[in-house]
């Protein structure tokens, strides 16, 4: 056997067993009761080892972390409006610190909190062009040794209702975006067929995954979810399409939500929720019982949309569990699953988990088990990306 690069002794695995984890060339080579010789050993003294956390939905280009404090501004009309919010954001981002500084600070915070994979939406519109894409792609390159970043081309200002965006989305997918985004086909573009034609067309042309922001309410949103499920199935894209938020599923009678959840499960369409505090959202339990893959993410983190958040996926899992009324150990494990194994399937990460053959993307925390890790959100003692230590005691390590 080749010599191990690193052994993590005295690890408590997610299933509760005690073991030593042997790492070679960035991968978990062996897991056993005890392991001989290695270039380096680290005694974890029974600390819990989790797979690297996955933030399934962030906006690296929007964050104001790493800049001065920007107070949250109200819409001029006094009620929430996406269009007014976009205008407020554009004004702030013109005056904010450069994207590389803000997005870099957020990435470092995410890694310090144990995230080893992020899916970031990036605004694509005629005003910003591909500037945000290039900025986030540069940050991805800078931090590639610490975290994997998947980029979604996101039409924040509409797709078919915003001339030039379709062509820019196409170009973004040639220049480094891996996922086609969408935004409220009815509520924003007022053209469900038109927007979905473009989104699914781009996904086919670029063999890309799909991730659509859907805030459209109640019956309108349900009809769009059914339409997305139908197209996904017809095109054989099962497992490659995600809908973020899908508020509609939390705004209709249970029987209606169950019916559409069944269609989503059948089509292999997953749902992301960030478990917002101020808006109805889908029941995680209902969706999982119907067979839908559910994942979570932080979404907006201290930006023009939302002043909260510090990129901590254990905290997000706790908020999911809190909102869903999860109290038992097995349901608290479900909450973490949304930020680990389920998210890995949705992002298409095959070499994932605390298992032999997987990438050594690992987080070590002081907790007896997964349930305690979710409720206590202990400081991340160690974070490894491909076997390399990238954060220690809650702090990002610059190499
Ligand atoms: Zn979002």
């Amino acid at each position: 056997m080749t010599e191990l690069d690193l052994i993590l002794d005295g690890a408590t695995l997610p299933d509760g067993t005690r073991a030593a984890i042997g790492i070679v060339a960035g991968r978990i080579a062996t897991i056993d009761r005890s392991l001989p010789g290695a270039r380096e050993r680290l005694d974890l003294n029974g600390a819990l080892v989790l797979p690297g956390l996955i933030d399934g939905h962030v906006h690296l280009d929007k964050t104001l972390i790493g800049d001065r404090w920007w107070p949250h501004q109200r819409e001029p009309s006094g009620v929430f409006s996406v269009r007014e919010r976009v205008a407020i954001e554009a004004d702030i981002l013109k005056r904010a610190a450069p994207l590389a500084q803000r997005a870099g600070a957020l990435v470092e915070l995410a890694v310090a909190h144990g995230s080893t994979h992020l899916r970031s939406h990036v605004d694509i519109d005629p005003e910003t062009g591909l500037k945000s894409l290039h900025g986030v792609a540069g940050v991805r390159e800078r931090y590639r040794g610490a975290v994997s970043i998947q980029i979604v081309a996101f039409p924040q200002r509409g797709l078919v209702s915003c001339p030039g965006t379709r062509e820019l989305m196409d170009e973004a997918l040639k220049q480094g975006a891996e996922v086609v985004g969408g935004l409220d086909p009815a509520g924003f573009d007022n053209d469900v067929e038109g927007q979905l034609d473009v989104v699914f067309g781009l996904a086919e042309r670029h063999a890309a995954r799909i991730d659509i922001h859907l805030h459209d309410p109640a019956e309108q949103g349900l009809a769009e979810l059914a339409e997305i499920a139908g197209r996904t199935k017809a095109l054989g894209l099962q497992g490659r399409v995600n809908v973020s938020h899908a508020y509609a599923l939390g705004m209709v009678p249970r029987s209606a939500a169950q019916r559409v959840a069944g269609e989503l499960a059948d089509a292999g369409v997953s749902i992301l929720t960030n478990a917002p505090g101020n808006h109805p959202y889908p029941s995680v339990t209902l969706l999982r019982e119907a067979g839908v893959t559910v994942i979570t993410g932080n979404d907006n983190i201290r930006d023009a949309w939302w002043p909260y958040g510090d990129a901590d996926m254990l905290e997000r899992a706790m908020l999911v569990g809190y909102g869903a009324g999860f109290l038992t150990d097995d349901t608290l494990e479900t909450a973490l699953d949304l930020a680990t194994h389920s998210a890995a399937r949705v992002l298409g990460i095959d070499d994932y988990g605390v298992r032999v053959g997987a990438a050594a993307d690992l987080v070590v925390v002081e907790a007896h088990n997964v349930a305690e890790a979710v409720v206590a959100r202990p400081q991340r003692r160690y974070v490894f990306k491909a076997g390399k230590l990238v954060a220690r005691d809650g702090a990002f390590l610059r190499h």
Side-chain angles (χ1 to χ4, degrees), residues 57-59 62 121 154 213 215 244-245 299-300:
H57 188 132
V58 280
H59 292 265
K62 295 176 183 291
H121 296 253
F154 175 47
H213 279 69
H215 318 88
S244 288
H245 306 310
D299 199 2
N300 298 96

Side-chain angles (χ1 to χ4, degrees), residues 268-283:
V269 174
S270 55
I271 297 291
L272 174 133
T273 184
N274 64 332
N278 61 342
H279 201 289
Y281 64 93
S283 159

Side-chain angles (χ1 to χ4, degrees), residues 316-329:
R316 187 59 50 188
M318 184 273 284
L319 290 169
V320 166
Y322 187 87
F326 289 169
L327 304 173
T328 58
D329 283 9

Side-chain angles (χ1 to χ4, degrees), residues 340-383:
T340 54
H341 292 280
S342 283
R345 288 202 303 280
V346 171
L347 269 68
I349 306 160
D350 298 323
D351 56 350
Y352 186 80
V354 186
R355 61 173 175 84
V356 172
D361 297 342
L362 303 167
V363 192
V364 180
V365 291
E366 283 298 338
H368 291 97
N369 54 32
V370 170
E372 188 184 8
V374 170
V375 300
R377 293 115 52 223
Q379 188 182 70
R380 306 321 107 91
R381 204 208 279 182
Y382 302 111
V383 181

Side-chain angles (χ1 to χ4, degrees), residues 7-21 28 31-33 42-51 333 336 353-355 362-373 381-382:
I7 291 176
L8 303 178
D9 274 318
T12 298
L13 305 183
D15 68 6
T17 54
R18 257 313 173 101
I21 300 172
I28 299 175
I31 299 178
D32 215 328
R33 288 162 69 98
L42 196 57
D43 191 355
L44 301 185
N45 287 313
L48 178 68
V49 176
L50 301 172
E333 286 169 13
L336 187 70
V354 186
R355 61 173 175 84
L362 303 167
V363 192
V364 180
V365 291
E366 283 298 338
H368 291 97
N369 54 32
V370 170
E372 188 184 8
R381 204 208 279 182
Y382 302 111

Side-chain angles (χ1 to χ4, degrees), residues 188-202:
F188 209 89
D189 271 356
N190 196 24
D191 184 356
V192 175
E193 295 288 315
Q195 183 180 124
L196 294 180
D197 281 349
V198 175
V199 167
F200 280 86
L202 286 170

